[in-house]
Amino acid sequence: MYTTVNENGVLNNYPSEPQVYCAEYPAIWEQRKYVIQGVFATLLVTTLVLVGISVS
C-alpha cells in the first residue's frame, strides 16, 4: 500500500492501481454467442410480460 504524509502530518493511503488494458473487438463466435443470449433474454422477458398480462 502506498502512503504519503503531508506537511501537517496527515497520512494519505492510496490503493494499488490495476493494470490497464485495451478491449478487443469480439470474435465472430463470441458475437454469435451474444446474439443467442439476446434471443433467449427476449423470449424470457416476452414470456414474463405475457404471463403477467394474462394473470391480471
Side-chain angles (χ1 to χ4, degrees):
M1 184 178 303
Y2 303 102
T3 58
T4 59
V5 180
N6 67 4
E7 62 275 353
N8 295 329
V10 177
L11 183 66
N12 291 322
N13 294 326
Y14 298 100
S16 58
E17 296 181 5
Q19 183 67 26
V20 177
Y21 61 93
C22 295
E24 297 178 5
Y25 195 76
I28 190 71
W29 61 272
E30 291 175 320
Q31 293 176 12
R32 289 183 182 145
K33 188 172 74 170
Y34 295 147
V35 168
I36 292 171
Q37 287 177 348
V39 168
F40 283 130
T42 303
L43 288 174
L44 176 67
V45 170
T46 303
T47 303
L48 290 174
V49 168
L50 291 176
V51 168
I53 290 172
S54 66
V55 169
S56 66

